[in-house]
Amino acid sequence: MPASSSTSRAQREIFSCGERVFRERDVLDWALLRGLLQPAWQESQRVAACEITADERGLEIDQSAVDSASVAFRYANDLITGEETERWLEDRNLSLEEFSNYFARQQWGRALSATTSEKSYLDATPEERERFAADAILSGAFDRWSEVYSRRVAALADRDSTAATPELRADLLQRAGTSEEGLPAWLGRLERTPEWFEENLRSEAAFDDQIKSLVTEKDLARELVSLRLSLTCFEIETVEVDSRDAASEVLACVRNDGMEMAEVAEEGRYPYHEETLLLEDLPSDQQQRYLSAKAGALLEPTPREEEFEVTRVRTRTEPTLEDKAVRARIEERIVARHFAALVGKFITWRLLPPSE
């Protein structure tokens, strides 16, 4: 892509807070500072290396798989027509070629293996950063970073008076992969000023301060009352079989012969797995049958494409704050609700918000 296009994408406006505009580059740099960018960067480099390997070997892409992936992406983003897709890409300064190349790279990433490059994002060429930005946008990672960053910006706009603790400063430096001594050089390579780092440190402090005031035991207990049903926890075990007759046989072995699900799976050489899940994580059409099931109950076989799943509810547990998964889910709900209101107050999105 020409340098002018690369520059214009980096300057693409993502959101504003008051008169301050935050651009694509601001989101990417913050994600690097926060330690969120590196895993995505490494995966992008790995996938790119797989594509190079495919080219070197003269391999041909499975175009049908690429087309299926791009169609799935379009429907997931409500891009039904070609015009809607082109407009979505244009808003993000992405070309149709970049759109197609992304799904081709992902296909090679699934089909081949390659050693992850040790090169850091700070050492990347403009072309590598451009490819990574496209990957981040199309994978959805960029939208997630934008949303998380906007919460910090809104928290700072709401309360710019919280001093950052030495522990918070040390944590941010560690996430960035640098130290107090190495910070000036790190900022120089990113072409950022010490003031930029201090502003982001203050936003972390303001964010953490609001979190601490939000998530009290009283708030958690109050929220638990309204979420008690949806956070009911189920431990399940599932056997996958290839026909309805086989599913009936599994049911008979467990119900009539007293065999364990794992035993039946081993004897029949069927895939077997265990899982812990919350009611709200289940598809809506599946929730009622789980609610109706007692601990130890076998559920009716569920068709899955050309296979069937036989599921047994091993345990059913009412949610409590002592359960770490339940507690984390409630905290997440309280925090999300608070910052949705705060972001709505201080942030103006230049495109649709990431969650839409």
Side-chain angles (χ1 to χ4, degrees), residues 279 282-291 299 302 304:
L279 182 69
L282 288 163
S284 57
D285 61 347
Q286 296 286 323
Q287 292 182 7
Q288 187 55 50
R289 72 180 194 136
Y290 275 85
L291 279 176
L299 304 181
T302 304
R304 290 284 185 270

Side-chain angles (χ1 to χ4, degrees), residues 215-228 320-321 327 330 334:
V215 186
T216 66
E217 289 299 317
K218 184 178 180 180
D219 293 322
L220 291 169
R222 184 186 304 112
E223 193 76 10
L224 177 61
V225 173
S226 62
L227 297 175
R228 187 171 297 279
T320 68
L321 293 179
R327 189 182 187 90
I330 294 176
I334 293 172

Side-chain angles (χ1 to χ4, degrees), residues 42-54 59 61-62 66 101-116 135:
Q42 290 178 335
E43 175 61 12
S44 178
Q45 289 290 87
R46 185 194 69 80
V47 168
C50 290
E51 183 178 39
I52 292 172
T53 298
L59 302 178
I61 193 73
D62 182 352
V66 174
N101 289 344
Y102 167 77
F103 294 105
R105 282 197 301 276
Q106 295 302 308
Q107 180 66 20
W108 289 129
R110 287 187 289 270
L112 302 175
S113 60
T115 303
T116 303
D135 285 356

Side-chain angles (χ1 to χ4, degrees), residues 28 37 47 56 79 83 94 110 131 142 152 157 165 169 174 177 182 192 198 204 206 223 245 278 280 310:
L28 292 173
L37 185 144
V47 168
E56 292 173 344
L79 306 174
E83 291 78 9
L94 290 170
R110 287 187 289 270
R131 184 189 63 236
F142 184 86
R152 268 77 177 173
T165 64
R169 185 182 186 90
Q174 183 180 33
R192 290 292 187 178
E198 296 298 333
E204 290 294 327
E223 193 76 10
D245 287 342
L278 300 178
E280 69 177 13
V310 182

Side-chain angles (χ1 to χ4, degrees), residues 3-265:
S4 59
S5 296
S6 174
T7 301
S8 62
R9 180 188 297 165
Q11 294 303 312
R12 179 169 66 97
E13 297 180 358
I14 308 301
F15 62 84
S16 61
C17 181
E19 296 183 358
R20 174 83 176 276
V21 176
F22 292 81
R23 305 178 187 277
E24 182 173 302
R25 184 201 167 195
D26 295 315
V27 174
L28 292 173
D29 288 357
W30 173 83
L32 179 66
L33 174 65
R34 195 67 174 70
L36 300 176
L37 185 144
Q38 187 61 23
W41 165 255
Q42 290 178 335
E43 175 61 12
S44 178
Q45 289 290 87
R46 185 194 69 80
V47 168
C50 290
E51 183 178 39
I52 292 172
T53 298
D55 288 341
E56 292 173 344
R57 295 180 184 177
L59 302 178
E60 291 187 8
I61 193 73
D62 182 352
Q63 192 59 49
S64 63
V66 174
D67 292 342
S68 295
S70 64
V71 168
F73 175 91
R74 287 172 54 191
Y75 276 93
N77 289 275
D78 293 325
L79 306 174
I80 308 304
T81 67
E83 291 78 9
E84 289 173 331
T85 302
E86 290 178 8
R87 187 162 55 250
W88 189 94
L89 293 172
E90 184 179 350
D91 287 340
R92 291 155 181 80
N93 280 18
L94 290 170
S95 66
L96 282 171
E97 181 180 9
E98 287 176 303
F99 182 70
S100 299
N101 289 344
Y102 167 77
F103 294 105
R105 282 197 301 276
Q106 295 302 308
Q107 180 66 20
W108 289 129
R110 287 187 289 270
L112 302 175
S113 60
T115 303
T116 303
S117 171
E118 295 297 323
K119 179 185 288 188
S120 73
Y121 179 78
L122 289 172
D123 294 324
T125 65
E127 292 75 16
E128 288 172 329
R129 289 195 184 190
E130 190 66 23
R131 184 189 63 236
F132 171 71
D135 285 356
I137 293 168
L138 291 168
S139 69
F142 184 86
D143 278 358
R144 292 192 295 274
W145 297 337
S146 299
E147 185 171 16
V148 175
Y149 188 26
S150 72
R151 290 182 175 187
R152 268 77 177 173
V153 173
L156 187 63
D158 184 56
R159 194 179 304 171
D160 188 9
S161 60
T162 305
T165 64
E167 291 78 14
L168 184 60
R169 185 182 186 90
D171 177 69
L172 193 59
L173 289 169
Q174 183 180 33
R175 288 177 181 275
T178 187
S179 63
E180 200 68 63
E181 296 75 18
L183 180 60
W186 188 91
L187 290 170
R189 294 170 69 191
L190 197 59
E191 298 181 350
R192 290 292 187 178
T193 64
E195 289 75 20
W196 176 82
F197 176 83
E198 296 298 333
E199 178 185 31
N200 281 289
L201 181 60
R202 293 200 314 275
S203 74
E204 290 294 327
F207 179 80
D208 283 2
D209 187 55
Q210 296 216 9
I211 293 291
K212 290 174 184 176
S213 65
L214 282 172
V215 186
T216 66
E217 289 299 317
K218 184 178 180 180
D219 293 322
L220 291 169
R222 184 186 304 112
E223 193 76 10
L224 177 61
V225 173
S226 62
L227 297 175
R228 187 171 297 279
L229 189 62
S230 62
L231 295 182
T232 300
C233 180
F234 298 88
E235 288 185 4
I236 66 172
E237 46 187 346
T238 302
V239 176
E240 300 174 6
V241 296
D242 55 9
S243 68
R244 185 173 290 278
D245 287 342
S248 298
E249 184 179 347
V250 171
L251 289 173
C253 289
V254 176
R255 284 174 175 165
N256 303 331
D257 301 338
M259 295 179 66
E260 294 294 331
M261 294 278 282
E263 289 181 86
V264 179

